[in-house]
Amino acid sequence: MNFLKSSPGLDDLISAIRNFHIIRVMGSQDIRMRYKRSKMGPFWITISMAVMITTMGLVFGNLFKTDVKEFLPFLTLGLIIWNFLLSSITEGCDALISSEGIIKQLPVPLHVHVLRVIWKNLIIFLHNIVILPLVLLAVGKGLAWEALLAVPGFLLLIVNLSWVLMVLSLVCARYRDMTQIVLSIMQVIFYLTPVIWMPKLLTHRTGEALLNFNPLYHLIELVRAPLLGTIPAPASYYTAIIMAVLGVCFSTYMTSKYKYRVPYWV
């Protein structure tokens, strides 16, 4: 870990955190530009998400023979969290490419461009999460004290998402075809992750083992399980913490090694 003591990658990360106001301003500006002259703004995504949740809840609830009161909150959180992850990863792949002008003209830390993407999608996530109270009200359920555990769980999700996006943005800046490969992989992972289906439907040990080795499942569960009134499994916390520590070290190393090549790549 000696490279972490003094490295361009670590300095870049620390500088980005210290200048968080830049991330906040740039991310919020992205939202305003995307929905310029729209009266509903990002709430259009919320409306679209609510329609999709209602439709899929009725269809897959009957298809899987699952109680709607149990399945609908599960599906709601699964889709909202997955949409946050997918949107962040999709835009994160091109975070450095789309910031070409800033990178070539201003000495802005590279992490700013990545965290800007996460901040933007976090705002959209907060708009979408307002659907959950309405769903819980519709099915006659409420939040328990376990819901407080969703806060540290979401922080772990953010930390892991940050280093993943930093690595992907570097790789995709160098190899442009990687963006499409990542998107294709995410489509496959979507069906392997319990987002629209419940883990209890898996009865075979092979399926359960495959689920336990799915890191996205653990990250989603850290947020979804507490909001559904259950405590996440210790394995999910162990997995997320280990991924966060190793991932931040790896992304810092990648940033240190390739930071000064990025202006030539983009």
Side-chain angles (χ1 to χ4, degrees):
M1 302 294 179
N2 291 331
F3 69 89
L4 288 178
K5 295 181 179 179
S6 178
S7 68
L10 182 60
D11 294 340
D12 188 274
L13 175 59
I14 295 175
S15 179
I17 295 174
R18 287 177 176 174
N19 294 280
F20 183 77
H21 63 282
I22 298 178
I23 298 170
R24 179 175 54 81
V25 171
M26 294 176 70
S28 300
Q29 181 64 22
D30 289 339
I31 291 287
R32 285 192 289 268
M33 291 300 295
R34 179 174 178 178
Y35 297 101
K36 188 177 181 180
R37 298 182 181 178
S38 172
K39 294 183 179 180
M40 295 294 293
F43 278 107
W44 279 117
I45 298 179
T46 305
I47 295 172
S48 175
M49 178 66 68
V51 172
M52 182 170 64
I53 289 172
T54 302
T55 305
M56 295 183 69
L58 294 175
V59 173
F60 287 99
N62 291 324
L63 183 64
F64 296 140
K65 305 299 181 183
T66 306
D67 184 7
V68 175
K69 292 184 178 180
E70 179 185 8
F71 179 67
L72 197 56
F74 178 90
L75 176 68
T76 299
L77 285 168
L79 287 176
I80 291 174
I81 299 171
W82 178 263
N83 182 72
F84 170 66
L85 290 171
L86 182 61
S87 299
S88 297
I89 292 174
T90 301
E91 297 176 21
C93 287
D94 295 330
L96 299 181
I97 299 172
S98 59
S99 303
E100 174 187 358
I102 299 177
I103 291 174
K104 290 184 175 180
Q105 297 180 34
L106 299 173
V108 177
L110 295 183
H111 281 84
V112 165
H113 307 297
V114 171
L115 297 177
R116 166 188 181 180
V117 170
I118 295 179
W119 179 260
K120 170 190 172 182
N121 286 285
L122 176 60
I123 294 175
I124 296 176
F125 171 83
L126 294 176
H127 281 84
N128 287 338
I129 202 65
V130 300
I131 300 174
L132 179 62
L134 300 178
V135 171
L136 293 177
L137 182 63
V139 300
K141 290 187 176 182
L143 294 176
W145 67 268
E146 290 88 353
L148 296 175
L149 295 175
V151 176
F154 193 75
L155 291 177
L156 281 172
L157 186 150
I158 291 292
V159 172
N160 279 286
L161 186 61
S162 300
W163 74 258
V164 168
L165 262 60
M166 190 67 245
V167 173
L168 288 178
S169 64
L170 289 170
V171 174
C172 291
R174 178 63 180 88
Y175 304 101
R176 301 300 174 92
D177 292 336
M178 280 301 299
T179 300
Q180 297 303 318
I181 295 175
V182 171
L183 295 182
S184 298
I185 292 174
M186 290 300 295
Q187 290 179 355
V188 175
I189 295 178
F190 174 74
Y191 294 105
L192 296 177
T193 306
V195 175
I196 60 175
W197 52 270
M198 304 185 74
K200 67 179 184 179
L201 296 176
L202 292 176
T203 56
H204 199 278
R205 291 184 178 179
T206 304
E208 294 179 358
L210 182 63
L211 192 63
N212 291 329
F213 281 102
N214 184 343
L216 287 183
Y217 162 69
H218 294 291
L219 294 178
I220 291 175
E221 275 298 289
L222 289 180
V223 181
R224 179 171 57 189
L227 293 175
L228 293 179
T230 59
I231 299 177
S236 295
Y237 283 108
Y238 298 150
T239 302
I241 293 172
I242 293 173
M243 284 174 53
V245 173
L246 297 180
V248 170
C249 292
F250 178 68
S251 67
T252 302
Y253 168 76
M254 288 279 289
T255 307
S256 298
K257 187 173 182 178
Y258 299 112
K259 176 178 180 178
Y260 300 110
R261 300 185 189 182
V262 171
Y264 301 97
W265 290 347
V266 297

